Amino acid sequence: MNKSPLKKLPIRFSIPGEVEPILRDFMKRAGFYATPGELAESTLAYALWCEQMHHLTGPSFRNRETRRKMWAEIVADYGKPKKAGSYFVHRMEEFIKEQAQA
């Protein structure tokens, strides 16, 4: 690997305001993320390193409606030992059908 410093690429994104308290709680419970940026960068780095596709959440970001549904379910279920899973279960069923047709 090149020993020169890696070039920085600033990337900006937003999340719903209702997610902010959940994000802060998650970071506090994890105990090793100092900023939301560290959490985002480490999650991205891990996904790229292991080349793991996120078949449930990835397609949810294609349009505003599915993105809204995903975030609403996360807000509603955060901290519950049993997640409702309605949106995610539905998305998994769609994914299975898509794969069967491919």
Side-chain angles (χ1 to χ4, degrees):
M1 183 168 170
N2 189 347
K3 296 196 185 232
S4 63
L6 297 173
K7 297 175 188 173
K8 290 194 174 257
L9 173 66
I11 297 176
R12 301 180 77 99
F13 63 93
S14 62
I15 60 173
E18 293 84 354
V19 176
E20 194 268 340
I22 292 171
L23 173 63
R24 296 288 174 194
D25 181 66
F26 181 83
M27 289 172 45
K28 182 179 177 183
R29 290 185 328 168
F32 42 76
Y33 300 114
T35 66
E38 280 185 12
L39 171 59
E41 187 176 355
S42 68
T43 303
L44 176 61
Y46 181 73
L48 295 175
W49 174 79
C50 68
E51 300 181 43
Q52 180 64 45
M53 305 306 144
H54 298 272
H55 299 292
L56 296 182
T57 55
S60 298
F61 283 86
R62 287 187 188 144
N63 65 62
R64 289 182 183 181
E65 181 60 21
T66 55
R67 182 181 291 190
R68 186 197 63 74
K69 286 179 183 178
M70 184 193 67
W71 281 119
E73 183 139 341
I74 291 168
V75 169
D77 283 354
Y78 185 78
K80 293 180 182 177
K82 273 190 137 183
K83 310 290 186 190
S86 59
Y87 176 73
F88 287 95
V89 169
H90 178 69
R91 182 62 198 121
M92 178 57 98
E93 291 167 350
E94 288 175 351
F95 176 72
I96 290 169
K97 287 179 186 174
E98 289 171 6
Q99 293 303 304
Q101 293 172 356

XYZ file of all heavy atoms in Angstrom:
834
model
N 0.839 -1.188 0.000
C 0.000 0.000 0.000
C 0.880 1.246 0.000
O 1.931 1.272 0.608
C -0.919 -0.011 1.220
C -1.869 1.141 1.254
S -3.112 0.855 2.518
C -3.852 2.427 2.542
N 0.414 2.266 -0.679
C 1.120 3.532 -0.756
C 1.282 4.123 0.644
O 0.333 4.171 1.419
C 0.324 4.482 -1.663
C 1.070 5.741 -1.970
O 2.083 6.064 -1.348
N 0.569 6.473 -2.946
N 2.491 4.583 0.988
C 2.747 5.124 2.326
C 2.363 6.588 2.466
O 2.420 7.133 3.544
C 4.194 4.903 2.698
C 4.512 3.435 2.800
C 5.798 3.214 3.517
C 6.099 1.735 3.453
N 6.383 1.136 4.694
N 1.951 7.235 1.383
C 1.522 8.623 1.489
C 0.145 8.667 2.160
O -0.603 7.693 2.132
C 1.475 9.281 0.110
O 0.530 8.643 -0.707
N -0.190 9.810 2.765
C -1.489 9.907 3.445
C -2.653 9.672 2.477
O -2.575 10.034 1.304
C -1.520 11.341 3.975
C -0.142 11.885 3.809
C 0.567 11.031 2.809
N -3.697 9.064 2.984
C -4.892 8.860 2.169
C -5.598 10.193 1.959
O -5.660 11.023 2.870
C -5.833 7.866 2.853
C -5.286 6.458 3.043
C -6.253 5.629 3.882
C -5.051 5.789 1.708
N -6.126 10.397 0.775
C -6.860 11.627 0.476
C -8.227 11.566 1.137
O -8.848 10.520 1.207
C -7.045 11.781 -1.033
C -5.758 11.913 -1.791
C -6.012 11.936 -3.280
C -4.714 11.879 -4.043
N -4.926 11.744 -5.478
N -8.693 12.687 1.638
C -10.006 12.756 2.281
C -11.069 13.096 1.248
O -10.848 13.906 0.362
C -10.022 13.799 3.392
C -9.205 13.388 4.587
C -9.539 14.279 5.758
C -8.844 13.776 6.978
N -9.726 13.061 7.860
N -12.212 12.465 1.372
C -13.365 12.736 0.533
C -14.532 13.050 1.453
O -15.101 12.141 2.070
C -13.704 11.527 -0.350
C -15.003 11.635 -1.142
C -14.916 12.736 -2.190
C -15.321 10.298 -1.788
N -14.886 14.303 1.612
C -16.018 14.627 2.491
C -17.332 14.137 1.879
O -17.593 14.361 0.705
C -16.012 16.150 2.586
C -14.878 16.629 1.756
C -14.276 15.468 1.038
N -18.103 13.434 2.676
C -19.405 12.944 2.243
C -20.437 13.430 3.255
O -20.244 13.277 4.456
C -19.419 11.400 2.154
C -18.428 10.929 1.093
C -20.823 10.889 1.858
C -18.293 9.430 0.989
N -21.525 13.972 2.752
C -22.572 14.495 3.631
C -23.851 13.699 3.416
O -24.173 13.311 2.306
C -22.813 15.963 3.343
C -21.571 16.822 3.540
C -21.877 18.255 3.229
N -22.594 18.865 4.312
C -22.037 19.624 5.250
N -20.759 19.862 5.199
N -22.755 20.162 6.202
N -24.573 13.470 4.494
C -25.870 12.829 4.419
C -26.703 13.313 5.595
O -26.185 13.951 6.506
C -25.751 11.298 4.411
C -25.147 10.723 5.657
C -25.960 10.305 6.700
C -23.778 10.595 5.783
C -25.412 9.772 7.854
C -23.226 10.061 6.931
C -24.040 9.651 7.970
N -27.966 13.013 5.567
C -28.835 13.425 6.664
C -29.685 12.251 7.117
O -29.860 11.276 6.385
C -29.715 14.598 6.232
O -30.555 14.208 5.167
N -30.175 12.365 8.334
C -31.088 11.378 8.897
C -32.276 12.144 9.481
O -32.166 13.340 9.745
C -30.405 10.519 9.993
C -29.908 11.388 11.148
C -29.280 9.687 9.405
C -29.390 10.610 12.338
N -33.393 11.477 9.684
C -34.534 12.167 10.300
C -34.182 12.649 11.707
O -33.454 11.969 12.448
C -35.624 11.093 10.358
C -35.230 10.082 9.342
C -33.724 10.113 9.294
N -34.682 13.799 12.081
C -34.426 14.348 13.416
C -34.874 13.427 14.535
O -34.271 13.398 15.616
N -35.916 12.640 14.283
C -36.423 11.719 15.304
C -35.415 10.622 15.642
O -35.515 9.965 16.671
C -37.726 11.053 14.830
C -38.891 11.995 14.689
C -38.917 12.744 13.343
O -37.965 12.615 12.541
O -39.895 13.461 13.107
N -34.440 10.423 14.778
C -33.439 9.376 14.992
C -32.304 9.866 15.897
O -31.595 9.066 16.497
C -32.893 8.879 13.630
C -31.790 7.857 13.795
C -34.026 8.307 12.789
N -32.153 11.161 16.056
C -31.031 11.719 16.815
C -30.926 11.163 18.237
O -29.842 10.730 18.646
C -31.103 13.250 16.826
C -29.819 13.907 17.280
C -29.779 14.169 18.775
O -30.856 14.195 19.412
O -28.669 14.344 19.303
N -32.010 11.104 19.030
C -31.855 10.535 20.377
C -31.484 9.046 20.353
O -30.736 8.568 21.212
C -33.215 10.733 21.046
C -34.114 11.367 20.057
C -33.337 11.630 18.800
N -31.962 8.327 19.367
C -31.622 6.913 19.217
C -30.149 6.773 18.871
O -29.437 5.938 19.422
C -32.512 6.266 18.138
C -33.950 6.199 18.615
C -32.000 4.892 17.742
C -34.932 5.782 17.543
N -29.680 7.606 17.960
C -28.275 7.599 17.568
C -27.386 7.871 18.772
O -26.411 7.154 19.019
C -28.034 8.630 16.467
C -26.594 8.871 16.039
C -25.991 7.608 15.444
C -26.533 10.020 15.046
N -27.723 8.886 19.550
C -26.916 9.233 20.730
C -26.912 8.090 21.749
O -25.878 7.760 22.318
C -27.433 10.522 21.382
C -27.322 11.740 20.507
C -25.894 12.185 20.363
N -25.828 13.277 19.391
C -24.729 13.708 18.860
N -23.578 13.162 19.190
N -24.739 14.677 17.984
N -28.083 7.483 21.972
C -28.166 6.369 22.910
C -27.337 5.189 22.421
O -26.607 4.572 23.193
C -29.629 5.947 23.113
C -29.751 4.807 24.110
O -29.439 5.015 25.299
O -30.144 3.696 23.680
N -27.445 4.873 21.134
C -26.683 3.768 20.558
C -25.187 4.010 20.714
O -24.434 3.111 21.114
C -27.051 3.575 19.081
C -26.315 2.445 18.434
C -26.765 1.138 18.556
C -25.164 2.686 17.697
C -26.082 0.081 17.967
C -24.475 1.640 17.099
C -24.940 0.338 17.236
N -24.746 5.227 20.421
C -23.324 5.555 20.548
C -22.868 5.436 21.999
O -21.787 4.910 22.282
C -23.057 6.965 20.020
C -23.160 7.075 18.514
S -23.080 8.779 17.891
C -21.734 9.476 18.805
N -23.701 5.896 22.913
C -23.360 5.820 24.341
C -23.273 4.367 24.795
O -22.331 3.980 25.487
C -24.412 6.564 25.157
C -24.137 6.600 26.629
C -25.226 7.378 27.351
C -24.992 7.342 28.858
N -26.064 8.024 29.573
N -24.230 3.547 24.398
C -24.219 2.141 24.790
C -23.036 1.399 24.171
O -22.450 0.522 24.806
C -25.530 1.456 24.405
C -26.691 1.930 25.247
C -27.962 1.189 24.984
N -28.082 0.756 23.604
C -28.986 -0.094 23.161
N -29.860 -0.614 23.966
N -29.046 -0.430 21.892
N -22.699 1.730 22.928
C -21.561 1.073 22.275
C -20.261 1.433 22.985
O -19.380 0.594 23.163
C -21.491 1.460 20.801
N -20.139 2.690 23.367
C -18.992 3.119 24.152
C -17.721 3.436 23.395
O -16.718 3.748 23.999
N -17.734 3.354 22.069
C -16.495 3.665 21.364
C -16.676 4.559 20.153
O -15.751 4.723 19.380
C -15.728 2.392 20.969
C -16.578 1.276 20.434
C -17.086 1.309 19.150
C -16.875 0.195 21.240
C -17.846 0.278 18.664
C -17.657 -0.847 20.758
C -18.139 -0.811 19.476
N -17.817 5.154 19.961
C -18.009 6.128 18.883
C -18.077 7.517 19.514
O -18.975 7.804 20.291
C -19.309 5.874 18.120
C -19.380 4.520 17.462
C -20.300 3.574 17.875
C -18.528 4.194 16.412
C -20.377 2.332 17.264
C -18.592 2.955 15.799
C -19.521 2.028 16.228
O -19.587 0.804 15.624
N -17.133 8.377 19.173
C -17.108 9.727 19.733
C -18.080 10.651 19.011
O -18.604 11.594 19.605
C -15.697 10.301 19.669
N -18.314 10.370 17.731
C -19.183 11.236 16.926
C -20.037 10.381 15.998
O -19.670 9.237 15.686
C -18.352 12.205 16.052
O -17.625 11.432 15.090
C -17.396 13.050 16.886
N -21.157 10.946 15.521
C -21.937 10.219 14.515
C -21.102 9.912 13.270
O -21.275 8.870 12.641
C -23.091 11.165 14.192
C -23.254 11.986 15.424
C -21.852 12.163 15.961
N -20.184 10.796 12.932
C -19.311 10.567 11.779
C -18.437 9.333 11.952
O -18.213 8.584 11.003
N -17.931 9.117 13.175
C -17.126 7.921 13.438
C -17.961 6.661 13.259
O -17.493 5.674 12.693
C -16.557 7.948 14.855
C -15.336 8.795 15.011
C -14.759 8.686 16.410
O -15.156 7.788 17.190
O -13.888 9.517 16.732
N -19.197 6.690 13.745
C -20.087 5.539 13.578
C -20.345 5.281 12.101
O -20.225 4.148 11.630
C -21.412 5.772 14.316
C -22.516 4.750 14.066
C -22.085 3.342 14.452
C -23.775 5.150 14.814
N -20.675 6.327 11.352
C -20.952 6.175 9.918
C -19.719 5.667 9.175
O -19.806 4.746 8.367
C -21.430 7.499 9.329
N -18.570 6.249 9.470
C -17.348 5.845 8.767
C -16.957 4.408 9.102
O -16.579 3.630 8.221
C -16.192 6.787 9.106
C -14.957 6.519 8.278
C -13.833 7.511 8.545
O -14.015 8.471 9.308
O -12.750 7.292 7.967
N -17.081 4.031 10.375
C -16.698 2.668 10.743
C -17.671 1.652 10.150
O -17.252 0.569 9.717
C -16.624 2.503 12.261
O -17.903 2.603 12.846
N -18.952 1.984 10.085
C -19.937 1.091 9.487
C -19.671 0.932 7.993
O -19.707 -0.179 7.458
C -21.367 1.621 9.732
O -21.571 1.761 11.143
C -22.414 0.704 9.155
N -19.391 2.035 7.337
C -19.064 1.992 5.912
C -17.778 1.198 5.672
O -17.723 0.352 4.783
C -18.923 3.411 5.356
C -18.492 3.513 3.899
C -19.518 2.846 2.980
C -18.298 4.971 3.517
N -16.770 1.445 6.487
C -15.501 0.724 6.325
C -15.709 -0.775 6.481
O -15.189 -1.567 5.689
C -14.472 1.232 7.342
N -16.500 -1.175 7.475
C -16.744 -2.597 7.685
C -17.511 -3.199 6.509
O -17.162 -4.268 6.020
C -17.502 -2.829 8.993
C -17.737 -4.295 9.242
C -16.691 -5.123 9.626
C -18.994 -4.860 9.064
C -16.888 -6.481 9.835
C -19.196 -6.216 9.275
C -18.149 -7.016 9.661
O -18.348 -8.355 9.865
N -18.546 -2.515 6.040
C -19.335 -3.023 4.910
C -18.453 -3.177 3.665
O -18.555 -4.172 2.949
C -20.511 -2.094 4.623
N -17.582 -2.208 3.415
C -16.704 -2.296 2.249
C -15.647 -3.377 2.423
O -15.303 -4.082 1.471
C -16.046 -0.944 1.980
C -17.002 0.181 1.569
C -16.241 1.495 1.448
C -17.731 -0.150 0.291
N -15.120 -3.505 3.643
C -14.093 -4.517 3.885
C -14.642 -5.921 3.686
O -14.037 -6.745 3.001
C -13.525 -4.365 5.298
C -12.568 -5.463 5.635
C -11.260 -5.567 5.250
C -12.859 -6.639 6.387
N -10.712 -6.736 5.733
C -11.685 -7.415 6.441
C -13.997 -7.103 7.035
C -11.611 -8.626 7.104
C -13.931 -8.306 7.706
C -12.739 -9.056 7.732
N -15.813 -6.197 4.265
C -16.340 -7.561 4.165
C -17.192 -7.746 2.913
O -17.627 -8.860 2.626
C -17.125 -7.944 5.416
S -18.660 -7.066 5.651
N -17.391 -6.659 2.168
C -18.173 -6.711 0.927
C -19.532 -7.362 1.153
O -20.027 -8.133 0.350
C -17.381 -7.416 -0.175
C -16.084 -6.705 -0.494
C -15.286 -7.357 -1.598
O -15.880 -7.756 -2.618
O -14.051 -7.461 -1.442
N -20.131 -7.016 2.278
C -21.431 -7.560 2.656
C -22.536 -6.649 2.126
O -22.554 -5.468 2.413
C -21.535 -7.661 4.184
C -22.838 -8.223 4.681
C -23.044 -9.667 4.243
O -22.138 -10.471 4.329
N -24.224 -9.984 3.776
N -23.430 -7.220 1.352
C -24.545 -6.460 0.814
C -25.653 -6.392 1.863
O -25.885 -7.342 2.595
C -25.104 -7.122 -0.447
C -24.074 -7.362 -1.535
S -23.190 -5.872 -1.984
C -21.577 -6.534 -2.289
N -26.323 -5.276 1.913
C -27.426 -5.090 2.850
C -28.723 -5.138 2.063
O -29.273 -4.119 1.662
C -27.256 -3.775 3.610
C -26.006 -3.762 4.422
N -25.972 -4.233 5.709
C -24.742 -3.396 4.119
C -24.741 -4.128 6.176
N -23.975 -3.627 5.229
N -29.205 -6.353 1.833
C -30.355 -6.563 0.954
C -31.663 -6.003 1.494
O -32.583 -5.773 0.717
C -30.516 -8.059 0.652
C -29.333 -8.634 -0.051
N -28.997 -8.283 -1.342
C -28.379 -9.494 0.358
C -27.896 -8.927 -1.694
N -27.501 -9.664 -0.684
N -31.745 -5.790 2.788
C -32.982 -5.233 3.342
C -32.936 -3.719 3.378
O -33.870 -3.050 2.953
C -33.242 -5.771 4.753
C -33.493 -7.263 4.843
C -33.788 -7.664 6.274
C -34.650 -7.670 3.955
N -31.862 -3.165 3.891
C -31.809 -1.713 4.014
C -31.351 -1.029 2.737
O -31.818 0.060 2.427
C -30.893 -1.297 5.175
O -29.599 -1.884 4.986
C -31.470 -1.753 6.496
N -30.470 -1.645 1.976
C -29.968 -1.016 0.746
C -31.067 -0.563 -0.190
O -31.157 0.627 -0.538
N -31.945 -1.454 -0.614
C -33.018 -1.045 -1.529
C -34.007 -0.056 -0.909
O -34.706 0.655 -1.618
C -33.720 -2.363 -1.868
C -32.690 -3.406 -1.642
C -31.878 -2.902 -0.479
N -34.046 0.028 0.409
C -34.974 0.945 1.070
C -34.636 2.402 0.811
O -35.461 3.280 1.003
C -34.979 0.693 2.582
O -35.425 -0.609 2.842
N -33.418 2.662 0.390
C -33.013 4.038 0.159
C -33.228 4.493 -1.281
O -32.824 5.576 -1.660
C -31.556 4.231 0.579
C -31.403 4.325 2.059
C -31.280 3.196 2.833
C -31.422 5.563 2.678
C -31.164 3.282 4.206
C -31.311 5.666 4.057
C -31.179 4.523 4.821
N -33.886 3.685 -2.081
C -34.107 4.053 -3.480
C -35.142 5.151 -3.647
O -35.111 5.897 -4.615
C -34.542 2.826 -4.283
C -33.415 1.871 -4.517
C -33.836 0.762 -5.449
N -32.785 -0.231 -5.507
C -33.001 -1.525 -5.606
N -34.225 -1.991 -5.672
N -31.986 -2.360 -5.642
N -36.104 5.219 -2.726
C -37.103 6.288 -2.831
C -37.500 6.768 -1.446
O -37.259 6.101 -0.439
C -38.319 5.838 -3.656
C -39.089 4.723 -3.005
O -39.620 4.890 -1.907
N -39.160 3.581 -3.671
N -38.116 7.925 -1.389
C -38.454 8.556 -0.110
C -39.454 7.756 0.708
O -39.362 7.706 1.921
C -38.993 9.960 -0.346
C -37.933 10.909 -0.798
C -38.491 12.288 -0.964
N -37.438 13.157 -1.464
C -37.598 14.429 -1.697
N -38.751 15.003 -1.498
N -36.591 15.147 -2.143
N -40.413 7.130 0.047
C -41.448 6.395 0.779
C -40.873 5.185 1.515
O -41.156 4.986 2.700
C -42.563 5.956 -0.172
C -43.695 5.212 0.515
C -44.407 6.010 1.604
O -44.343 7.250 1.611
O -45.037 5.368 2.471
N -40.063 4.381 0.843
C -39.501 3.213 1.531
C -38.484 3.644 2.587
O -38.391 3.024 3.645
C -38.858 2.215 0.550
O -37.876 2.880 -0.238
C -39.901 1.568 -0.333
N -37.768 4.710 2.328
C -36.829 5.242 3.321
C -37.589 5.697 4.567
O -37.208 5.396 5.687
C -36.060 6.412 2.719
C -35.020 7.011 3.651
C -34.326 8.166 3.001
N -33.489 7.659 1.919
C -32.605 8.382 1.267
N -32.444 9.644 1.570
N -31.881 7.866 0.315
N -38.689 6.396 4.359
C -39.507 6.881 5.481
C -40.041 5.713 6.302
O -40.008 5.731 7.532
C -40.667 7.732 4.958
C -41.479 8.389 6.076
C -42.832 8.861 5.587
N -43.684 7.781 5.120
C -44.301 6.898 5.927
N -44.154 6.956 7.217
N -45.067 5.955 5.411
N -40.528 4.668 5.630
C -41.060 3.499 6.337
C -39.980 2.819 7.172
O -40.228 2.415 8.310
C -41.642 2.503 5.342
C -42.955 2.932 4.750
C -43.437 1.879 3.754
C -44.715 2.298 3.075
N -45.151 1.296 2.072
N -38.790 2.689 6.604
C -37.705 2.053 7.335
C -37.350 2.839 8.587
O -37.254 2.282 9.673
C -36.473 1.902 6.457
C -35.348 1.160 7.163
S -33.774 1.278 6.326
C -33.420 3.009 6.528
N -37.180 4.154 8.446
C -36.833 4.982 9.598
C -37.937 4.980 10.641
O -37.666 4.933 11.845
C -36.513 6.407 9.161
C -35.135 6.573 8.592
C -34.812 6.990 7.330
C -33.884 6.340 9.246
N -33.450 7.014 7.175
C -32.858 6.627 8.335
C -33.537 5.911 10.526
C -31.507 6.508 8.660
C -32.199 5.787 10.848
C -31.198 6.091 9.918
N -39.188 5.019 10.207
C -40.315 5.010 11.155
C -40.310 3.724 11.977
O -40.568 3.747 13.189
C -41.638 5.175 10.409
N -40.023 2.614 11.341
C -39.986 1.350 12.079
C -38.819 1.318 13.056
O -38.956 0.824 14.170
C -39.909 0.168 11.133
C -39.950 -1.134 11.893
C -40.800 -2.185 11.236
O -41.639 -1.855 10.389
O -40.607 -3.348 11.574
N -37.682 1.838 12.667
C -36.533 1.885 13.567
C -36.862 2.724 14.793
O -36.607 2.323 15.932
C -35.282 2.420 12.835
C -34.811 1.388 11.809
C -34.171 2.770 13.820
C -33.784 1.902 10.827
N -37.464 3.892 14.577
C -37.841 4.769 15.694
C -38.839 4.060 16.608
O -38.716 4.083 17.830
C -38.408 6.106 15.172
C -39.033 6.906 16.294
C -37.307 6.908 14.475
N -39.825 3.393 16.031
C -40.855 2.721 16.822
C -40.306 1.522 17.598
O -40.758 1.245 18.707
C -41.997 2.273 15.909
N -39.325 0.820 17.051
C -38.849 -0.423 17.657
C -37.590 -0.286 18.506
O -37.235 -1.213 19.230
C -38.559 -1.464 16.569
C -39.811 -2.110 16.029
O -40.908 -1.857 16.565
O -39.696 -2.873 15.058
N -36.911 0.849 18.439
C -35.631 0.970 19.130
C -35.778 0.689 20.628
O -36.668 1.201 21.287
C -35.007 2.353 18.931
C -33.635 2.449 19.536
C -32.541 1.896 18.886
C -33.440 3.049 20.764
C -31.278 1.957 19.445
C -32.174 3.115 21.329
C -31.103 2.567 20.672
O -29.855 2.615 21.231
N -34.903 -0.144 21.126
C -34.874 -0.458 22.544
C -35.812 -1.575 22.969
O -35.740 -2.040 24.099
N -36.672 -2.012 22.090
C -37.589 -3.094 22.420
C -36.866 -4.430 22.261
O -36.173 -4.636 21.270
C -38.811 -3.079 21.496
C -39.704 -1.882 21.688
C -40.877 -1.965 20.725
C -41.780 -0.759 20.854
N -42.869 -0.806 19.871
N -37.058 -5.343 23.213
C -36.410 -6.644 23.064
C -36.951 -7.431 21.877
O -36.232 -8.175 21.235
C -36.704 -7.360 24.381
C -37.790 -6.591 25.028
C -37.793 -5.215 24.446
N -38.223 -7.260 21.587
C -38.822 -7.920 20.425
C -39.215 -6.834 19.443
O -40.047 -5.986 19.736
C -40.070 -8.712 20.826
C -39.799 -10.109 21.292
C -41.092 -10.856 21.426
C -40.927 -12.240 20.867
N -42.149 -13.006 20.904
N -38.615 -6.865 18.293
C -38.918 -5.875 17.264
C -40.184 -6.284 16.528
O -40.419 -7.469 16.303
C -37.773 -5.768 16.256
C -36.408 -5.593 16.865
C -36.239 -4.244 17.492
C -34.798 -4.085 17.954
N -34.591 -2.937 18.769
N -40.971 -5.291 16.129
C -42.205 -5.584 15.395
C -41.875 -6.232 14.059
O -42.502 -7.185 13.640
C -43.027 -4.313 15.188
N -40.884 -5.670 13.377
C -40.395 -6.283 12.160
C -41.286 -6.185 10.949
O -40.970 -6.759 9.916
N -42.377 -5.483 11.048
C -43.324 -5.485 9.932
C -42.692 -5.013 8.629
O -42.773 -5.706 7.626
C -44.546 -4.637 10.265
O -44.158 -3.304 10.544
N -42.049 -3.867 8.614
C -41.447 -3.369 7.382
C -40.301 -4.274 6.949
O -40.194 -4.648 5.787
C -40.950 -1.931 7.527
C -40.254 -1.490 6.261
C -40.993 -1.217 5.118
C -38.875 -1.436 6.188
C -40.363 -0.870 3.939
C -38.243 -1.079 5.004
C -38.991 -0.798 3.886
O -38.361 -0.466 2.729
N -39.444 -4.657 7.877
C -38.291 -5.462 7.522
C -38.702 -6.868 7.098
O -38.122 -7.429 6.181
C -37.280 -5.489 8.671
C -36.559 -4.180 8.807
C -36.996 -3.224 9.699
C -35.469 -3.894 8.015
C -36.339 -2.003 9.804
C -34.809 -2.684 8.107
C -35.247 -1.733 9.008
N -39.692 -7.427 7.758
C -40.184 -8.746 7.355
C -40.770 -8.652 5.950
O -40.511 -9.490 5.091
C -41.216 -9.291 8.363
C -41.928 -10.516 7.813
C -40.532 -9.633 9.675
N -41.554 -7.611 5.712
C -42.153 -7.419 4.390
C -41.060 -7.261 3.334
O -41.136 -7.837 2.252
C -43.071 -6.194 4.403
C -43.684 -5.884 3.081
N -44.642 -6.687 2.495
C -43.461 -4.876 2.218
C -44.989 -6.173 1.336
N -44.285 -5.070 1.137
N -40.032 -6.496 3.637
C -38.942 -6.283 2.677
C -38.211 -7.594 2.409
O -37.818 -7.854 1.277
C -37.977 -5.216 3.213
C -36.861 -4.889 2.272
C -37.385 -4.297 0.948
N -36.335 -4.416 -0.035
C -36.428 -5.078 -1.188
N -37.548 -5.633 -1.554
N -35.407 -5.161 -2.000
N -38.036 -8.435 3.427
C -37.384 -9.728 3.243
C -38.222 -10.603 2.310
O -37.681 -11.267 1.425
C -37.190 -10.436 4.585
C -36.552 -11.806 4.444
S -34.963 -11.782 3.613
C -33.873 -11.803 5.003
N -39.539 -10.595 2.488
C -40.412 -11.369 1.607
C -40.276 -10.888 0.162
O -40.204 -11.695 -0.761
C -41.868 -11.253 2.068
C -42.123 -11.966 3.385
C -43.464 -11.601 4.009
O -44.141 -10.661 3.538
O -43.820 -12.253 5.005
N -40.221 -9.571 -0.039
C -40.039 -9.018 -1.380
C -38.706 -9.468 -1.969
O -38.622 -9.822 -3.136
C -40.094 -7.492 -1.346
C -41.461 -6.927 -1.098
C -41.430 -5.411 -0.963
O -40.326 -4.820 -0.885
O -42.528 -4.823 -0.929
N -37.658 -9.421 -1.155
C -36.332 -9.805 -1.615
C -36.308 -11.269 -2.050
O -35.745 -11.612 -3.090
C -35.297 -9.548 -0.519
C -33.927 -10.008 -0.890
C -33.184 -9.320 -1.850
C -33.377 -11.134 -0.319
C -31.920 -9.751 -2.218
C -32.106 -11.574 -0.663
C -31.383 -10.885 -1.626
N -36.940 -12.141 -1.270
C -36.981 -13.566 -1.611
C -37.698 -13.765 -2.934
O -37.252 -14.537 -3.790
C -37.637 -14.374 -0.461
C -36.714 -14.389 0.748
C -37.968 -15.792 -0.910
C -37.344 -14.914 2.010
N -38.805 -13.063 -3.136
C -39.536 -13.160 -4.401
C -38.685 -12.663 -5.570
O -38.667 -13.270 -6.635
C -40.848 -12.377 -4.324
C -41.893 -13.032 -3.483
C -43.147 -12.182 -3.429
C -44.154 -12.762 -2.459
N -45.316 -11.876 -2.289
N -38.000 -11.553 -5.362
C -37.138 -11.007 -6.418
C -36.056 -11.998 -6.796
O -35.756 -12.189 -7.976
C -36.489 -9.700 -5.945
C -37.440 -8.535 -5.835
C -36.806 -7.327 -5.153
O -35.587 -7.351 -4.865
O -37.547 -6.368 -4.870
N -35.440 -12.644 -5.804
C -34.380 -13.606 -6.076
C -34.912 -14.848 -6.788
O -34.231 -15.411 -7.641
C -33.685 -14.004 -4.762
C -32.926 -12.871 -4.122
C -31.881 -12.272 -5.034
O -31.003 -12.968 -5.531
N -31.949 -10.980 -5.276
N -36.115 -15.261 -6.447
C -36.722 -16.435 -7.073
C -37.026 -16.168 -8.548
O -36.948 -17.068 -9.372
C -37.989 -16.840 -6.338
N -37.350 -14.926 -8.885
C -37.682 -14.563 -10.258
C -36.435 -14.310 -11.100
O -36.515 -14.313 -12.312
C -38.581 -13.333 -10.280
C -39.938 -13.605 -9.697
C -40.764 -12.327 -9.555
O -40.295 -11.242 -9.820
N -42.016 -12.491 -9.134
N -35.313 -14.081 -10.436
C -34.071 -13.758 -11.174
C -33.477 -14.973 -11.834
O -33.676 -16.082 -11.567
C -33.058 -13.126 -10.213
